Amino acid sequence: MWLRNNLNHQNGMRSLEVENLTVSVEGKPILNNLSLTLPKGEVHAIMGPNGSGKSTLAKVLAGHEDYVVSSGAVLMDGENLLELEVDQRARAGLFMAFQYPVEVPGVSIANFIRAALNARQGEGDSFDAIAYYRRLYAEMDRLGIDRKFTSRSVNEGFSGGEKKRCEILQMAMLEPKYCVLDETDSGLDVDALKIVAEGVDHMREDDRGILIITHYQRLLNHIIPDYVHIIVDGRMVKSGDKSLAIEVEERGYDWIKEEMAASV
Amino acid sequence: MPPATTVNPDSDLLTETVFEHFQGRHPDLPPWLLQQKRQSWMEYRSLPLPNRKMESWRFSNVRGLGVDPFALANPINGHSRAALVARSQDLDSCAGRMVFGNDDLLENSPLSWEMTEKGVIFEPLQTAFSKHSEILEEFFMAQKSALGSEKFAALHTTLNRNGTLLYVPEKVEIRLPLVSRHWAFGENAAVFPHTLLIARDQARVVFVDVYSSSEASSRQFACGVSTVYAGSGAEVEYHHVQNWGERSLSFNTLTAIAQRNSRIRAFGMNLGSKYSRNEGHSIIEGPASNAEFYSLTLSHLDQEMDQRTRQTHRAPHARSNLLFKNALLDSSKTIFSGLIKVDKAAQQTDAYQTNRNLLLSPKAEANSMPGLEILANDVKCSHGATTGQLDDNQLFYFLSRGIGKLAAQKLLVFGFFEEVLEKIDNRELAEFHRRLVQEKFKRS
């Protein structure tokens, strides 16, 4: 593991690199000199108390315009992500699963995902509708989503669990290089959590990096992360393996804050 | 008709001599009709042109409404006729289709033998005026225009000579839609399409009017009138697709009269014309009836879509609903003015009116004037109008999936329209509407 990680570090062409990122919203600093390397083939978890800046990181990576990057860089396989528009980032291989997926009345899930796939096609490429539906149904079956949902409007009237499953469905269909899951476990009951986690775990592979942002470690019972990072007050304060997540679960975040205060 | 060589083209212009020339062209009109036209011509000449001080023309760009540059449309030659007919095969499954070009019948796919046996009439007005004069003398232009276009209705009555008579006798149900395709051909041509749909008691029918120009960029004048009668317990679905050339001036007045327990649903699609004025009037004549008016508009460039509606309730226990949705691109403009009018006798009325505008450009302008006039005291009525832009969160969601801004905007407009399109039961017909919107986007 260490060896592969080191090799990946040397090869920025196979990782998502966040370097000394400082971000503010409406003039207020949220992320402070934050660095992170997510190599392909690994799953990293970011944990932190409320307001620590976890979700900000997800939104900055996706390119939300409310967040101003004042310094630092993000490289995706060596490409400067921050120079790309939101849609370009996605087409380049980044996917963010939203904490609160928005409802889109009148646009069916099938049409939505199809439009996203179409956007990735070259001019003049034909779209194989039969193959598309075959794949869509297979992924829906895996995620326990009723096939009738293809014609339902995106997220409209969905339960919390249905929304999150729909995010994972999109992620599976779009086959991104890097996935960022923003509090995907929030609002899920035990059964939905298991299905969603299995869906994510199924997407683990050598050519994909997965970043799980979460407040609790319960999702990590199903998806064992290679690394766990703790963010407090917009800073990366601690990294470790799965046991760190368990420690946080048992002891909360205060001991980390105390450690931080002691080290200042 | 005088020999063609002696005709001065100027004489066909819609100026003060046009009626004489019209009569010269069509010497065989039935006397009752000629009488009606004479009267309308006088009315047309005595009525003032619209101006902005008139309440019914508020916000309209009335300067562009002069009809003088337009001329009576000429017959279309064989080759072009065939091309237009070929372009009129929109629905694979329909119970009958007529194709008109410059108000001449180009093609008539007749009704099935079974429908004819049952007494259904689907006939061009040109022949119906004499063949079914008992129906036409009673119903043709029997509804007065009430929403501001009286002058244009009078011009229509004067110069109309063709269109659709659809008569469905009692208890006859026609499952598949019937279609009339109206084409305008030639620069500055003026056409006057008419639709008269009569569904007798407990009849059921779906009828589609499609108006377009041979060239999407052409300039013509269209002045149409459609009237829908639903007898007791009848169910009528009427579609009105306005897709005239984008430099055209067009008017249409739709009046729908609902008798006891009947249901009328009207779907409008507005895509064409430089300036288009649509007046829609639903009249609740019988108790427990239901009239629903839906309309979708996608405007671009400097198009102006002027929509005036009225829901008149004359009988109790009835319901009317109206939902007009406009999506505006570029520096286009829409006007919606609607009134729910409930007479004293119309107790326990349920009447709703909603206008929603989606501005897709900072230069687009949507005007909305909803209104209520209620004389009964036991009613449920509401009206609402909203104007907004694309939702930022929705847009970000689309972008974050790699969908480009234009594609996202298009999908969101389709989503906006779906609330109306999903009400259309016939899937092919709903798909036809979607295709037209798609084609309009391609022109944008």
Side-chain angles (χ1 to χ4, degrees):
Chain A
M1 179 64 77
W2 276 109
L3 179 64
R4 201 178 81 203
N5 201 19
N6 284 336
L7 284 173
N8 284 335
H9 273 270
Q10 286 159 22
N11 184 358
M13 296 308 288
R14 282 185 56 83
S15 64
L16 182 68
E17 303 262 358
V18 179
E19 294 171 356
N20 307 109
L21 197 65
T22 299
V23 174
S24 55
V25 182
E26 290 163 0
K28 198 176 143 221
I30 306 285
L31 293 182
N32 202 335
N33 211 25
L34 188 129
S35 296
L36 171 78
T37 298
L38 173 67
K40 277 184 177 161
E42 293 186 7
V43 173
H44 289 213
I46 291 191
M47 301 182 72
N50 287 330
S52 58
K54 305 187 298 284
S55 284
T56 298
L57 177 62
K59 287 179 180 122
V60 171
L61 292 176
H64 198 288
E65 62 181 5
D66 286 353
Y67 299 86
V68 180
V69 176
S70 45
S71 64
V74 180
L75 300 175
M76 187 165 82
D77 295 345
E79 188 175 11
N80 185 348
L81 197 71
L82 301 180
E83 275 181 0
L84 301 180
E85 298 292 336
V86 179
D87 54 324
Q88 292 173 324
R89 295 180 193 197
R91 291 195 298 272
L94 183 76
F95 183 93
M96 179 175 82
F98 283 59
Q99 184 179 4
Y100 303 110
V102 65
E103 300 193 0
V104 192
V107 178
S108 71
I109 288 182
N111 281 345
F112 182 61
I113 297 177
R114 185 178 171 152
L117 287 170
N118 270 332
R120 287 157 172 80
Q121 284 196 314
E123 194 80 25
D125 285 1
S126 65
F127 189 88
D128 184 344
I130 293 168
Y132 167 65
Y133 273 98
R134 196 179 295 136
R135 247 191 88 207
L136 184 63
Y137 286 147
E139 296 294 351
M140 291 175 88
D141 292 350
R142 189 198 320 283
L143 290 162
I145 303 172
D146 192 319
R147 290 185 178 190
K148 284 187 195 127
F149 269 64
T150 46
S151 56
R152 290 270 303 266
S153 293
V154 174
N155 297 324
E156 192 186 29
F158 287 17
S159 69
E162 285 164 347
K163 282 183 184 171
K164 296 301 170 73
R165 272 188 259 180
C166 180
E167 293 292 289
I168 305 305
L169 172 66
Q170 294 169 39
M171 188 165 97
M173 289 298 290
L174 297 178
E175 301 181 297
K177 292 179 192 159
Y178 297 95
C179 308
V180 179
L181 290 94
D182 186 11
E183 310 231 10
T184 295
D185 53 336
S186 69
L188 294 185
D189 61 28
V190 181
D191 295 330
L193 183 78
K194 189 161 178 282
I195 293 168
V196 166
E198 282 167 3
V200 176
D201 211 40
H202 183 78
M203 291 195 64
R204 273 183 120 144
E205 57 169 272
D206 286 348
D207 274 331
R208 180 172 295 131
I210 299 176
L211 187 64
I212 297 171
I213 294 171
T214 180
H215 187 77
Y216 304 104
Q217 72 92 35
R218 56 179 197 159
L219 184 62
L220 308 180
N221 286 335
H222 301 277
I223 315 166
I224 312 296
D226 298 299
Y227 291 93
V228 174
H229 310 281
I230 310 290
I231 295 186
V232 176
D233 295 337
R235 291 169 206 268
M236 191 75 91
V237 295
K238 216 170 175 61
S239 291
D241 60 11
K242 165 83 168 83
S243 62
L244 182 58
I246 293 168
E247 201 169 357
V248 163
E249 180 85 347
E250 283 167 2
R251 299 173 61 190
Y253 290 102
D254 286 347
W255 63 277
I256 299 174
K257 289 182 187 170
E258 282 158 19
E259 264 184 22
M260 275 172 71
S263 70
V264 169
Chain B
M1 195 168 166
T5 47
T6 64
V7 174
N8 170 5
D10 285 351
S11 63
D12 290 334
L13 292 177
L14 304 189
T15 54
E16 52 191 31
T17 55
V18 70
F19 186 42
E20 276 170 49
H21 292 276
F22 178 85
Q23 288 181 78
R25 282 181 174 213
H26 308 286
D28 300 324
L29 300 170
W32 68 269
L33 186 61
L34 188 58
Q35 178 55 30
Q36 192 183 28
K37 285 181 184 301
R38 284 204 182 104
Q39 219 172 324
S40 297
W41 179 237
M42 276 162 51
E43 199 184 329
Y44 170 73
R45 297 191 62 184
S46 67
L47 285 167
L49 263 171
N51 67 65
R52 270 178 119 159
K53 287 185 194 135
M54 299 171 173
E55 180 58 29
S56 57
W57 291 88
R58 259 184 84 192
F59 295 111
S60 304
N61 180 13
V62 293
R63 269 175 309 184
L65 303 186
V67 302
D68 289 6
F70 300 100
L72 293 176
N74 287 316
I76 305 172
N77 70 34
H79 181 71
S80 303
R81 288 168 78 107
L84 292 178
V85 169
R87 288 167 63 188
S88 302
Q89 321 296 313
D90 307 300
L91 297 175
D92 288 334
S93 308
C94 59
R97 171 169 45 227
M98 289 197 275
V99 180
F100 298 93
N102 285 0
D103 291 338
D104 288 321
L105 183 73
L106 305 185
E107 189 206 43
N108 189 355
S109 327
L111 291 173
S112 66
W113 176 83
E114 190 199 350
M115 285 299 153
T116 314
E117 273 300 283
K118 285 181 176 169
V120 177
I121 302 168
F122 183 54
E123 172 113 14
L125 283 176
Q126 192 162 26
T127 48
F129 280 131
S130 8
K131 215 165 138 187
H132 301 288
S133 61
E134 76 292 350
I135 298 173
L136 286 154
E137 282 188 61
E138 184 183 348
F139 289 102
F140 181 71
M141 291 307 293
Q143 297 297 326
K144 287 285 160 226
S145 168
L147 304 181
S149 282
E150 293 76 4
K151 188 175 175 76
F152 295 100
L155 185 65
H156 172 87
T157 309
T158 310
L159 299 178
N160 158 271
R161 58 191 181 82
N162 217 341
T164 307
L165 169 63
L166 174 55
Y167 179 91
V168 189
E170 228 177 279
K171 293 185 181 155
V172 174
E173 295 187 12
I174 311 178
R175 201 176 50 83
L176 290 172
L178 293 118
V179 184
S180 282
R181 209 53 166 89
H182 306 263
W183 293 94
F185 180 89
E187 200 67 359
N188 293 329
V191 293
F192 301 87
H194 190 96
T195 292
L196 176 58
L197 195 172
I198 300 166
R200 290 299 197 186
D201 296 355
Q202 293 163 64
R204 287 183 71 163
V205 65
V206 179
F207 180 65
V208 186
D209 264 326
V210 184
Y211 306 91
S212 38
S213 301
S214 58
E215 312 290 331
S217 61
S218 59
R219 176 176 189 252
Q220 281 125 1
F221 174 68
C223 183
V225 171
S226 310
T227 314
V228 172
Y229 290 91
S232 292
E235 275 192 39
V236 180
E237 187 177 310
Y238 175 63
H239 294 255
H240 180 99
V241 177
Q242 187 277 106
N243 201 17
W244 297 114
E246 294 198 0
R247 286 163 54 239
S248 299
L249 177 62
S250 72
F251 294 86
N252 192 78
T253 300
L254 165 65
T255 311
I257 299 107
Q259 298 293 352
R260 176 186 292 270
N261 289 324
S262 66
R263 183 183 192 202
I264 297 176
R265 299 203 300 162
F267 292 90
M269 174 65 83
N270 279 299
L271 301 167
S273 304
K274 166 97 158 58
Y275 172 88
S276 109
R277 167 113 174 172
N278 274 294
E279 298 183 4
H281 189 185
S282 56
I283 304 174
I284 297 290
E285 199 65 66
S289 54
N290 186 352
E292 298 161 42
F293 271 32
Y294 302 107
S295 169
L296 297 175
T297 295
L298 177 61
S299 57
H300 71 168
L301 303 174
D302 59 349
Q303 283 183 311
E304 179 172 334
M305 308 290 201
D306 189 357
Q307 308 163 320
R308 314 277 165 161
T309 70
R310 188 175 297 173
Q311 295 152 262
T312 297
H313 283 255
R314 292 183 184 151
H317 305 286
R319 183 178 175 274
S320 72
N321 189 18
L322 179 145
L323 175 61
F324 274 43
K325 301 191 95 169
N326 302 324
L328 297 86
L329 297 155
D330 308 323
S331 50
S332 61
K333 174 178 169 183
T334 60
I335 301 158
F336 171 83
S337 170
L339 180 69
I340 297 177
K341 197 168 177 289
V342 183
D343 289 357
K344 212 168 172 183
Q347 295 294 2
Q348 294 185 327
T349 285
D350 272 2
Y352 307 98
Q353 180 203 87
T354 311
N355 167 225
R356 303 217 182 283
N357 302 306
L358 180 59
L359 300 177
L360 300 160
S361 147
K363 287 190 214 147
E365 176 190 327
N367 302 277
S368 199
M369 295 172 281
L372 299 171
E373 190 183 308
I374 298 166
L375 301 176
N377 56 17
D378 178 17
V379 300
K380 267 192 261 172
C381 291
S382 77
H383 64 86
T386 55
T387 297
Q389 286 141 16
L390 280 185
D391 182 276
D392 282 344
N393 292 323
Q394 287 179 350
L395 193 59
F396 180 67
Y397 193 60
F398 277 65
L399 294 172
S400 78
R401 297 303 179 243
I403 302 168
K405 199 170 174 192
L406 280 176
Q409 176 172 293
K410 199 166 113 180
L411 264 177
L412 286 165
V413 169
F414 271 104
F416 178 67
F417 282 175
E418 201 52 35
E419 185 183 2
V420 168
L421 294 176
E422 71 185 12
K423 294 181 196 294
I424 302 170
D425 296 326
N426 182 304
R427 285 181 71 164
E428 200 191 0
L429 198 46
E431 220 28 69
F432 172 57
H433 281 282
R434 287 190 191 97
R435 202 161 64 235
L436 289 165
V437 174
Q438 196 76 259
E439 283 165 14
K440 171 85 186 232
F441 267 115
K442 279 188 194 148
R443 297 202 293 272
S444 287

